[in-house]
Amino acid sequence: MSRWLEALETFAMDVILGHRCGRRAGLLRMTLWIFSSLTFLTVRLRLVLFQKRIFRRRAMGCLVVSVGNLTIGGTGKTPVVEMLARQLQAGGRKVAILSRGYKSTPKSCLQRVLNKVLYNTRLLAPRIVSDGKSLLLDPHTAGDEPFMLANNLHGVIVLVDSDRVRSGLFAIKHFGADVLLLDDGLQYLKMRRTVEIVLIDRDAPFGNEFLLPRGTLREPVKHLYRATHILITKCTGEDNSLLISRIRKLNRTAEIAECAHHPQHLINLWTGEIRPLKFLEDLPIGSLCGIAVPENFVNVLETLGARVGLTRNYADHHRYSVKEVQAFIRRCAQCNLQAILTTEKDAVRIPHVLDPEVPIYFMRVEIKILRGSKVWKNFFNRLASLQQVRTPKRFFDSGDGL
């Protein structure tokens, strides 16, 4: 069933992005456009209900930093969240990352029913991916992105729960967190936030300009006005004045910085061996990934001098089987390729293979601020110096509802 749904998702994305032509694809796009109108009405109504305080936002009593985007996938959010957590931690803050755990293993039907009926605090406790000292969950249970963050960030708490107000209160109560980092938080309106950081992909700032399901926008472009800070990602050093000009028409006050996803080195998936980037120069390799925009990964590999002989792309967050990985390794060996490259996000989802004929490496990537570094530094200095405000009455103390 999961493979069938993944194939359907891939087909739908090809139609949405115009990669499929013909009458049927055109009719499907028209149908999806009609549903996009419903998305617009739903998103607008929900936002108005929160703005008019018909729906209430919960104040957490500590610093809340939201990181999100207007589009689905592809902006490089996870490395940005990692950078934010590191810099806040370096400023002396106790950081907890709150994730919804997209495509993590769902709770059983019985657990969900008990959660609703009993509303017991022990049953409602979020999944603890990391307590800041050790990893407590595997990538399937936690979700690949929360697991990756927990694996890379020592001393940072990582929690997974669809109700991030609940997980935030848990982090404050049980771990003494004074900063909550709301991962993928732009559309999560139930929690008040101190800072709203919105990521914009330089290559596809607003997707194909259509709302879901006709396009890749989660909400209208004009909603960018809610951002307090905007980070333009995947920059190459080229001029972004046209994009910044458009952003300024939508948001006149947000601080803007430009950044690049900077490759650091290569790590052998199973031995942990570290290789410098120059290892890729003129090296025949295969590319294996399941991310939103796999073409970007291949472009990076080629820019670093690699000769990409084979590529195998899957849908975003694809869960690899041993059979799939072994089949690709065999194909690469038959083509005399010397290595297989994958992304760090994919690496946590690739199962172990004994004695692979071709080694698999993942690329370690970190964020580098290209323009606006002074603005960004001042921003973090302000965050680190903010006094911790009074902690609200905690839900987990009493077992009462929110």
Side-chain angles (χ1 to χ4, degrees):
M1 177 62 76
S2 61
R3 293 291 183 264
W4 183 83
L5 290 174
E6 191 173 289
L8 182 62
E9 178 185 339
T10 302
F11 171 77
M13 286 303 298
D14 286 344
V15 171
I16 287 169
L17 298 175
H19 297 161
R20 289 182 181 264
C21 303
R23 184 179 177 182
R24 283 185 296 181
L27 287 173
L28 181 55
R29 278 190 283 268
M30 186 177 296
T31 303
L32 294 176
W33 180 82
I34 294 170
F35 283 106
S36 291
S37 302
L38 297 177
T39 301
F40 174 80
L41 293 174
T42 303
V43 170
R44 286 294 300 159
L45 176 61
R46 182 168 175 266
L47 184 59
V48 167
L49 290 173
F50 276 100
Q51 289 175 335
K52 298 296 183 182
R53 297 187 179 182
I54 296 171
F55 291 166
R56 294 283 184 172
R57 296 191 184 204
R58 180 65 181 259
M60 303 304 291
C62 68
L63 182 63
V64 178
V65 179
S66 168
V67 183
N69 45 40
L70 290 170
T71 59
I72 54 170
T75 57
K77 177 172 54 62
T78 304
V80 172
V81 172
E82 182 179 331
M83 175 192 69
L84 288 165
R86 287 188 189 280
Q87 294 184 338
L88 287 166
Q89 187 182 36
R93 313 300 298 223
K94 184 69 172 179
V95 182
I97 298 174
L98 311 181
S99 173
R100 64 189 173 111
Y102 180 63
K103 289 200 175 181
S104 60
T105 303
K107 292 181 179 179
S108 68
C109 182
L110 178 60
Q111 284 178 312
R112 293 197 297 270
V113 170
L114 288 174
N115 281 357
K116 294 291 186 183
V117 174
L118 300 180
Y119 219 79
N120 179 282
T121 57
R122 194 157 64 95
L123 288 170
L124 287 175
R127 290 175 174 174
I128 305 172
V129 187
S130 172
D131 58 3
K133 299 177 183 177
S134 57
L135 277 168
L136 302 175
L137 297 177
D138 59 61
H140 292 313
T141 307
D144 52 6
E145 291 170 350
F147 181 88
M148 190 177 101
L149 289 166
N151 189 49
N152 291 336
L153 294 166
H154 182 73
V156 174
I157 297 96
V158 181
L159 305 178
V160 166
D161 197 318
S162 59
D163 187 339
R164 280 172 278 182
V165 169
R166 181 165 63 209
S167 61
L169 293 171
F170 188 92
I172 295 169
K173 164 68 175 177
H174 293 278
F175 297 107
D178 64 2
V179 176
L180 302 178
L181 234 177
L182 195 57
D183 182 21
D184 198 15
L186 183 61
Q187 287 76 38
Y188 190 77
L189 302 178
K190 295 181 181 180
M191 184 187 295
R192 290 185 187 175
R193 63 283 315 272
T194 317
V195 177
E196 186 82 78
I197 301 173
V198 177
L199 310 185
I200 294 179
D201 184 347
R202 178 191 180 276
D203 297 322
F206 307 110
N208 60 357
E209 305 280 346
F210 290 103
L211 283 170
L212 290 167
R214 171 61 185 88
T216 54
L217 280 170
R218 298 176 174 183
E219 52 184 302
V221 172
K222 65 181 180 180
H223 285 191
L224 189 61
Y225 75 86
R226 306 207 315 270
T228 61
H229 297 76
I230 295 170
L231 197 57
I232 302 174
T233 64
K234 301 181 182 177
C235 296
T236 58
E238 298 178 5
D239 181 55
N240 290 318
S241 56
L242 290 177
L243 175 56
I244 292 173
S245 177
R246 184 177 181 189
I247 290 172
R248 279 296 174 223
K249 291 177 182 177
L250 300 165
N251 187 318
R252 296 182 179 180
T253 59
E255 295 180 333
I256 300 174
E258 302 169 46
C259 73
H261 287 64
H262 190 62
Q264 298 294 303
H265 49 253
L266 311 175
I267 303 176
N268 188 295
L269 186 58
W270 296 305
T271 68
E273 175 193 15
I274 296 176
R275 293 269 194 169
L277 295 176
K278 65 180 181 180
F279 172 70
L280 290 176
E281 293 177 5
D282 205 35
L283 187 73
I285 66 166
S287 168
L288 176 67
C289 66
I291 57 176
V293 189
E295 297 82 7
N296 286 350
F297 181 61
V298 174
N299 290 339
V300 169
L301 295 175
E302 292 177 339
T303 301
L304 292 171
R307 292 189 282 120
V308 182
L310 284 176
T311 61
R312 185 66 175 95
N313 300 328
Y314 292 93
D316 198 10
H317 298 277
H318 175 75
R319 289 187 178 180
Y320 297 90
S321 68
V322 173
K323 185 177 179 180
E324 288 171 338
V325 177
Q326 288 176 331
F328 189 68
I329 290 174
R330 281 195 300 270
R331 286 183 61 201
C332 289
Q334 290 165 1
C335 295
N336 295 317
L337 302 183
Q338 301 301 304
I340 296 172
L341 268 292
T342 190
T343 70
E344 188 172 5
K345 192 170 79 167
D346 284 288
V348 302
R349 289 182 271 114
I350 295 177
H352 184 70
V353 175
L354 293 173
D355 299 321
E357 298 176 79
V358 181
I360 300 181
Y361 294 88
F362 68 86
M363 184 179 294
R364 174 67 182 156
V365 174
E366 294 183 1
I367 295 299
K368 181 179 180 181
I369 303 296
L370 300 182
R371 294 190 182 96
S373 57
K374 185 176 181 180
V375 168
W376 201 253
K377 184 177 180 180
N378 291 338
F379 163 59
F380 272 103
N381 288 339
R382 292 197 303 272
L383 287 183
S385 64
L386 284 175
Q387 294 294 319
Q388 183 177 357
V389 294
R390 181 180 62 86
T391 303
K393 180 183 178 182
R394 298 181 181 94
F395 166 60
F396 280 91
D397 284 337
S398 62
D400 297 331
L402 295 177

